[in-house]
Amino acid sequence: MLIGKTGQLGSSILAEQTTHQIYAPGRAELDIESKDSCERAIAEFRPDVVINTAAFHNVPQCEVEPLRAFAVNCQSVRDLALACNKSNTLFVTFSTDYVFGGEKKTPYREDERTKPLQMYGISRLAGELAATAISPRHAVVIRTCGLYGLSGAISKGGNFVDKRIADAQTSSVIEMGCDQIVSPTYTGNLAQAVLKLIEHPQLVPGIYHLVNEGECNWFEFTQAIYEMMKISVKVNPIDRGGMSGEMRRPLYSVLANTKARELGIILPHWRNALQLYLNKKYGAAAGK
Ligand SMILES: NC(=O)c1ccc[n+]([C@@H]2O[C@H](COP(=O)([O-])OP(=O)(O)OC[C@H]3O[C@@H](n4cnc5c(N)ncnc54)[C@H](OP(=O)(O)O)[C@@H]3O)[C@@H](O)[C@H]2O)c1
């Protein structure tokens, strides 16, 4: 059962060739904010696996609506974990690089100390704890970062890559942050990795990191988008010291996929992933 089929990752998972039968209810059939709805859907369909890609992940909005952030990112995850426990179902749910504080300069492993800096990260960490505490034998939490996918991110008004290409229609000079170092990840690669992970015979429940290899800041990522698209826009790096208004973001949140790598699951480098995405979405304009 796949929750979030209209989202970037959900639609990428649905687009994968798989021998599995995937039941993907829309929000009208399964609203994760309703405990009854979660229990009913899982009891009725008795899936082998529940993959929850739904979240409240508009980071600034989580500061404004912290109770809603906890309701969706923690309480609903707990309700799904409880329902999966009852039916002995594997529960796969997602989290974020924003559970880390960004004080390091080398990639964070799955077992490193978390230290979220804002309500979004706090609510996601609470969700991780809810899933793994309530369902230690069934819950797989996958942390990922900076997603972009063919369906765009409706909840964020489009994904980062598409927004930068749209910016170039109206501006010849743009400013882009160079202060945050991240692992931008293409949902096509992530979807394949998620399916490989849940099919893996040696999968053990717990926390996993799945991101494209390598690291960059958003300024470097933006430059790569324009280079690959052969768009001439001047990009000026801007250092906000990780601040968005009064809200803090981690300066370094690159994830090391150490546990998935041990199972032979390795995602491509972010540059190859970006080129693949641009080819698929923009075809000839992306140099192919
Ligand atoms: N995007 C990123 O940069 C990023 C970074 C790190 C981690 N992640 C995590 O990765 C996962 C997938 O992200 P994404 O970018 O694919 O998300 P997305 O594009 O925003 O899609 C979210 C999906 O969840 C559904 N949804 C939201 N609230 C729901 C509810 N109450 N009940 C049922 N369905 C609901 C949405 O349905 P509607 O169409 O009905 O709204 C949509 O299908 C999330 O957990 C996200 O936080 C994302």
Side-chain angles (χ1 to χ4, degrees):
M1 187 163 98
L2 173 70
I3 304 171
K5 67 173 171 183
T6 55
Q8 302 195 94
L9 177 58
S11 57
S12 289
I13 292 174
L14 266 189
E16 280 303 309
Q17 298 283 345
T18 162
T19 51
H20 302 293
Q21 218 184 341
I22 302 185
Y23 167 61
R27 199 195 286 225
E29 296 153 277
L30 198 180
D31 183 342
I32 65 163
E33 288 179 69
S34 152
K35 190 175 184 208
D36 283 354
S37 168
C38 297
E39 278 179 356
R40 205 177 327 113
I42 292 169
E44 262 175 36
F45 293 99
R46 305 207 52 91
D48 297 317
V49 184
V50 170
I51 304 178
N52 171 36
T53 70
F56 181 33
H57 60 142
N58 182 321
V59 180
Q61 201 55 31
C62 288
E63 293 295 301
V64 181
E65 298 181 76
L67 294 182
R68 173 128 199 273
F70 271 87
V72 180
N73 296 337
C74 177
Q75 193 174 327
S76 300
V77 171
R78 184 220 36 197
D79 294 343
L80 286 167
L82 283 169
C84 286
N85 265 354
K86 270 191 204 158
S87 56
N88 211 17
T89 301
L90 181 67
F91 176 45
V92 180
T93 194
F94 290 83
S95 185
T96 171
D97 53 318
Y98 273 37
V99 295
F100 291 113
E103 64 286 341
K104 285 186 69 195
K105 297 272 181 281
T106 54
Y108 283 95
R109 292 187 321 274
E110 292 82 353
D111 58 358
E112 287 195 74
R113 192 173 70 98
T114 50
K115 190 186 172 197
L117 302 176
Q118 67 310 98
M119 293 316 296
Y120 171 64
I122 295 168
S123 69
R124 295 316 294 257
L125 179 60
E128 291 185 359
L129 294 170
T132 52
I134 283 154
S135 200
R137 288 185 298 112
H138 298 100
V140 171
V141 176
I142 298 174
R143 294 186 186 131
T144 188
C145 169
L147 296 187
Y148 57 95
L150 292 171
S151 80
I154 304 155
S155 62
K156 294 182 175 180
N159 74 38
F160 184 91
V161 180
D162 297 344
K163 280 194 207 164
R164 295 300 74 79
I165 291 169
D167 286 347
Q169 307 291 316
T170 52
S171 316
S172 55
V173 182
I174 67 162
E175 286 184 340
M176 191 49 61
C178 61
D179 44 345
Q180 283 186 273
I181 302 174
V182 290
S183 324
T185 297
Y186 170 41
T187 58
N189 295 145
L190 177 58
Q192 287 169 351
V194 169
L195 292 174
K196 275 191 201 155
L197 185 67
I198 63 182
E199 286 164 2
H200 202 287
Q202 276 140 35
L203 173 71
V204 285
I207 293 181
Y208 288 80
H209 289 174
L210 286 178
V211 289
N212 279 126
E213 292 289 302
E215 60 182 57
C216 60
N217 61 43
W218 292 113
F219 162 73
E220 291 164 334
F221 191 60
T222 302
Q223 281 194 314
I225 295 167
Y226 292 144
E227 273 164 28
M228 289 178 194
M229 289 294 290
K230 301 181 181 59
I231 293 173
S232 162
V233 170
K234 181 158 171 40
V235 189
N236 289 326
I238 172 160
D239 184 349
R240 300 187 185 91
M243 299 303 293
S244 289
E246 288 182 0
M247 186 181 75
R248 291 196 291 161
R249 293 175 186 262
L251 289 173
Y252 185 94
S253 59
V254 177
L255 301 178
N257 302 345
T258 49
K259 286 169 66 181
R261 186 182 299 274
E262 281 166 16
L263 301 178
I265 300 167
I266 302 168
L267 282 76
H269 191 275
W270 68 263
R271 281 190 181 273
N272 299 335
L274 177 61
Q275 185 71 67
L276 179 65
Y277 171 77
L278 293 173
N279 293 346
K280 277 189 189 257
K281 182 123 188 192
Y282 297 96
K288 291 277 155 171

